[in-house]
Amino acid sequence: VYKRQALKVVPVTTASEPGGGGGGGGGAPWPAPTSPGPTDPGPGLVGAPFRVPATVSPADLELRAVHRGPRALNVLEWTAESPHRERLPMPTRPVVSDLGGDPDAFAAGLVRSVAAGDGRPGLQQLLVGAGRRVSQVLGPELVGLVRAVLSLDLGRPARILLLTEEASVPWELLTLEPVGPGESMFLATRAAVGRWYLVPQADVLPPPDHLEVADRAVIATDDLPAAGHEAGQLVAALGFRVAPPTVDATMAALQQHGVVHLACHGSWSAGDGIATLALSDGELTSLHVGGLDLAAHPLVFLNACHVASGTDLLGVPAGFPAALVATGAGAAVGPLWAVRDDHALAVALEFHREVLAGVPPAEVVRRLRSRAVEGGLTWATPFAYQFVGHPGATMGVSDPDPPRRPER
């Protein structure tokens, strides 16, 4: 079995706001919202040192985590906002979470433990234990707020947006207990969750709730047995076009296409915060991505081990997801830990098929994780994928070459 691996508080404005634009990171300004809306914060918001312009489809709950100060990077202050605030126990002051001395060690240990336990007895208990630890750190006030949102009668799974300056803790693994008959205890299976990184001096707000997809590119290396088949299926069935698996071609694809899918080996170093994709002629790192300008605001699917992992480097979110956000990506998907080659293929095909059929990407990720839990969590791959973007974001597809059905 092959695996795809080789491990300050600054005000933020958007380009559409007075004083926006000109931020570092090279990200192009977001397209203007399709309809005007009021600017958040509203009268009930407390504590957040940034403004979040209202989007067309606000999340049911927006949780905001910022560092308490430049010398307290492991202490977070949380605030919350919701269009349902009259029906929820909203906090009236910032809620403090102390992550301890080394939150990166927790993330790195989880990655190692999942790799060792994949396909073996006890994997589900391992992830439950990690989720309970996350719940303890978040604290009863915020956990109670999340539970209240999940209890709302919305006619669909709740949509939760996490805006964060912290990049290492997998908050999506939060467990909610006790649970009712037939309910999962994992937040990631009960709500469509999207995270979005608050990057100083970069125009990253708001995360777009709609992405126009004019074309789609797939990049796959030949050192993974399933990667070539993955590319072939995306081309034949879903209208992707193949780009060479080189460093230059990959950087060009990220800057030119509406959807970019990569299938290759990946790695992440918790020590220096650098994530790496192994391409045919060298390595593409998260630092390379930080030097790009993703003017097409692509949805980027990184089907490579560990590449959704992150950390704080020099007090700033670091890793592939944070770099993609800072340079203009509209959304991103990738696994937190090592994934099996054959399982990663199945996840990729289902994800793109559902998204191009109109299902919000965050909801597709929720369904993948939910089915993994329903199946007993024997394998870790379907539970590994993390969505970065607006939890209600949808894709608009306009392509002169429509997806084709594969012939038998």
Side-chain angles (χ1 to χ4, degrees), residues 120 161 171 251 282 361 368 375 386 391:
R120 299 177 180 176
L161 173 61
W171 301 105
M251 291 191 294
L368 287 165
Q386 179 175 276

Side-chain angles (χ1 to χ4, degrees), residues 314-332:
L314 299 178
V316 176
F320 268 118
L324 288 166
V325 168
T327 52

Side-chain angles (χ1 to χ4, degrees), residues 79-166:
T79 56
E81 190 52 83
S82 171
H84 316 291
R85 58 179 303 112
E86 296 81 5
R87 303 157 61 189
L88 298 171
M90 302 294 292
T92 58
R93 66 194 187 289
V95 179
V96 176
S97 293
D98 189 343
L99 305 184
D102 190 0
D104 288 342
F106 171 74
L110 177 62
V111 165
R112 288 192 301 270
S113 297
V114 170
D118 195 15
R120 299 177 180 176
L123 177 63
Q124 181 164 346
Q125 288 73 23
L126 169 66
L127 292 173
V128 168
R132 286 174 173 167
R133 183 67 58 85
V134 171
S135 177
Q136 292 163 1
V137 171
L138 195 60
E141 186 171 7
L142 292 178
V143 172
L145 175 59
V146 171
R147 291 181 65 90
V149 171
L150 296 181
S151 70
L152 295 174
D153 184 9
L154 301 172
R156 54 162 172 76
R159 294 168 177 169
I160 297 178
L161 173 61
L162 171 63
L163 297 170
T164 178
E165 289 184 330
E166 190 281 329

